[in-house]
Every structure is written in C-alpha cells, then in structure tokens.
Amino acid sequence: MNDLYQRLSDLSEREKELKCLYKIDQCLNGTDLYEILKNILLVIPGGWQFPEWCSVEICCFDIHLKSPRFESSANYLTSDIKSEDKTLGYIRIYYPSASGHIKPEFLPEETLLLNAITRHIALFLSLPVQEKDRKEQSENHWEWRLRMAGELCRYLPFQAFHIISVYVAGSTKNATAGPASDIDLIIVHRAEDTRPIEEYMKGWSHSLAVWNEARTGIP
C-alpha cells in the first residue's frame, strides 16, 4: 500500500512539473521580456513539491524580480540562464531553512526542472539574435551581389558585344540572396554570335565564385 501511495505521489509530482513547463512555454509566447519574466515568476512555484514555501528570484539583464512575500534562505536551488556560453542571468528558488519541525528539501527532479526552465528562457532570448544575424547576413549577401552585378556591367563592353541592356533578376533583385545564391542577369542584345558574351560571363562567374568562397566558405 505504501509503495502504491509513493508511486501515485511521484506521478503527481511529475504531472505538476510537466504542467509547469507547459505554462512556462506559454509565457514565452509574449514579446515584453519584463512581463514574460514576471509571469514565469508566478508560474514556477506550481511545479515544486511545496509551492506555498517557494520564494523565487529571477535576474536577467537589468531585470531583477522577486516573488510576493519573498524570503531568502541558505536552502535554495539556482540555475544560470546561459546563451552561447554567456551568462545572461539566473533563477533561484528558496525553501525556508526550516518550517516548524520540517526542513523542506528539493527533489532531484526539481533541479532538472529548474535547468529545463532556464534553458527554455535562454533559447527564447537567443532566437531574436539569431534571426537578426540571419537578416543581416542575408542583407550582406544581397548587397554584395548587387554591387558585383554593378561592377560587371561597369566593365561590360556593350558596343563590342552588341548589348542593349542588362537586368538583375532572381534573389539579387528580390533582396533575398543567401550565401550560395547565383547572380541572375538578363542580357538583351543584338549579337548574332553570343560566344563572346558567354565567355565573358564565364570568366566573371568563375572570379565571383572564388571571391564568394573566400567570403563565406561556400564554393
């Protein structure tokens, strides 16, 4: 009977932890970091064995929050919020050193839960940076290709090759070029023999491919 009670108790604790993580993920759907962390502060105790004794402290960047009726003690769990080896803050959960005749202790699973929460927050904080980096890289790839298309046209012998006009097309035109994108050009001409144009473009294509590989590492 005692074994059954213990198993049911363990299952109840795991259910609380899963619900806590689910609510944390819901909090992370927001955009205002202060509001997100404030909501997480209120959600965390529900995942612990003794929520009524939990005091929670969250520090992230310049935001420092403490739960209502916060009480510090020497009995606490802590986990850093880290992104790419940079410590952005921490979450610390306190139990009273003693409550009456009981000294509440943290479960091993609660350490895992706290680490999971800080990982989720770190992932949320890293995503905008990654998206910004991807956007900046995309803009750089596009700008470089547009500039190279301009340089190609600058030295292109229009009269000798009977070229009327050149148009930029594809991802360079649409400003969506990535590190492996081609530079698509539409050449309008009156040449009967297109081999000089083709050889000229092959030379430029080879040179730009070598240059692009040096810039991005992509052949």
Side-chain angles (χ1 to χ4, degrees):
M1 188 69 178
N2 288 337
D3 287 346
L4 177 60
Y5 176 80
Q6 185 61 48
R7 290 175 64 183
L8 290 173
S9 177
D10 290 344
L11 286 172
S12 176
E13 290 303 316
R14 301 298 82 75
E15 182 184 9
K16 284 166 60 177
E17 292 161 7
L18 288 172
K19 284 182 178 178
C20 179
L21 268 182
Y22 174 73
K23 290 178 180 178
I24 294 292
D25 282 343
Q26 285 185 314
C27 293
L28 293 172
N29 286 330
T31 55
D32 185 296
L33 183 59
Y34 179 85
E35 290 298 322
I36 288 171
L37 295 178
K38 188 172 73 172
N39 290 332
I40 289 174
L41 187 81
L42 300 176
V43 164
I44 283 176
W48 263 252
Q49 188 178 15
F50 304 110
E52 67 278 10
W53 289 339
C54 274
S55 287
V56 184
E57 179 183 16
I58 299 178
C59 182
C60 187
F61 297 120
D62 59 345
I63 300 172
H64 194 183
L65 301 171
K66 293 181 179 180
S67 56
R69 298 181 297 279
F70 176 85
E71 291 185 16
S72 180
S73 78
N75 185 20
Y76 65 84
L77 283 179
T78 188
S79 180
D80 288 337
I81 302 169
K82 288 187 174 182
S83 179
E84 297 181 355
D85 297 326
K86 294 180 181 179
T87 300
L88 309 178
Y90 63 84
I91 297 179
R92 197 165 288 162
I93 301 175
Y94 299 84
Y95 275 159
S97 296
S99 181
H101 299 294
I102 301 173
K103 181 182 178 181
E105 296 182 356
F106 292 101
L107 300 173
E109 291 82 2
E110 290 173 338
T111 300
L112 297 176
L113 176 59
L114 181 56
N115 289 337
I117 290 171
T118 54
R119 282 198 304 271
H120 281 226
I121 295 172
L123 178 61
F124 167 80
L125 293 173
S126 69
L127 283 176
V129 175
Q130 292 170 357
E131 290 169 0
K132 181 174 181 293
D133 287 345
R134 282 197 295 268
K135 182 180 178 182
E136 289 176 352
Q137 289 170 6
S138 177
E139 289 172 348
N140 289 336
H141 296 312
W142 161 69
E143 290 171 354
W144 182 79
R145 279 160 175 74
L146 187 62
R147 184 162 59 87
M148 290 302 102
E151 289 297 308
L152 186 154
C153 290
R154 180 181 174 186
Y155 294 101
L156 185 62
F158 279 71
Q159 290 184 346
F161 289 169
H162 304 286
I163 292 173
I164 300 170
S165 56
V166 179
Y167 298 94
V168 177
S171 59
T172 304
K173 176 185 177 183
N174 298 330
T176 58
S181 297
D182 292 330
I183 301 175
D184 297 316
L185 299 175
I186 299 173
I187 299 176
V188 181
H189 63 87
R190 292 195 181 115
E192 294 181 1
D193 185 358
T194 60
R195 285 177 296 177
I197 298 175
E198 292 169 0
E199 292 301 318
Y200 184 88
M201 299 306 294
K202 282 180 183 178
W204 266 92
S205 180
H206 176 73
S207 298
L208 291 174
V210 172
W211 193 348
N212 186 60
E213 183 176 1
R215 292 176 69 250
T216 65
I218 297 176

